[in-house]
Amino acid sequence: MSITQDYEKLRMKLGNKKYEALDEYIKIHGKVSEWHQGIKEIRNIENVKEWEEKMFELHNKCKPIFIEDVVMNETEWEKFNKWYSENKVKQKNKNRNKEAR
């Protein structure tokens, strides 16, 4: 099975709303864009020792979180579920406030 098929299977299992929330969680907590920018910056370092040091610093500064890291790690999955539940309540309250107006 391809990665794309795995993601689609996960989307069907979680439902669109929770899958999209998972993507949002990753963007907020995963620092993926910061990670990619750091990779671009160290890509041209030719000295292996210097590159390893910079990579280690980058990893400590902003270890990215990917879908697999959340879905396959019980601790991270629990953090996501807690975040999802809290945001779901906030969204309901926001919608109630709009309806009350």
Side-chain angles (χ1 to χ4, degrees):
M1 190 176 293
S2 73
I3 292 174
T4 305
Q5 288 172 326
D6 287 342
Y7 288 167
E8 281 306 309
K9 187 176 176 182
L10 180 62
R11 179 186 287 276
M12 287 189 295
K13 185 177 179 181
L14 295 178
N16 284 334
K17 285 185 180 181
K18 194 163 187 177
Y19 186 86
E20 289 171 11
L22 178 60
D23 190 46
E24 183 180 347
Y25 174 84
I26 290 167
K27 287 177 183 173
I28 292 169
H29 298 283
K31 302 178 185 179
V32 176
S33 59
E34 190 176 336
W35 173 263
H36 287 300
Q37 182 60 39
I39 293 293
K40 285 180 185 176
E41 291 172 5
I42 67 170
R43 186 173 286 152
N44 296 324
I45 298 174
E46 293 182 18
N47 181 305
V48 175
K49 185 168 176 62
E50 182 183 352
W51 182 90
E52 287 176 339
E53 289 171 359
K54 295 291 183 182
M55 186 63 157
F56 184 74
E57 288 173 16
L58 178 63
H59 192 271
N60 286 335
K61 179 181 170 189
C62 61
K63 180 182 182 278
I65 300 173
F66 299 101
I67 288 177
E68 305 82 37
D69 297 323
V70 178
V71 175
M72 299 176 98
N73 181 315
E74 191 174 333
T75 303
E76 199 62 47
W77 182 253
E78 289 172 6
K79 288 180 190 177
F80 164 69
N81 275 323
K82 181 180 178 187
W83 175 87
Y84 180 73
S85 296
E86 290 170 356
N87 282 313
K88 202 172 175 182
V89 169
K90 287 178 187 176
Q91 189 63 36
K92 282 182 183 179
N93 290 338
K94 189 185 268 187
N95 289 339
R96 286 184 190 153
N97 290 339
K98 285 182 182 178
E99 291 172 1
R101 292 181 191 169

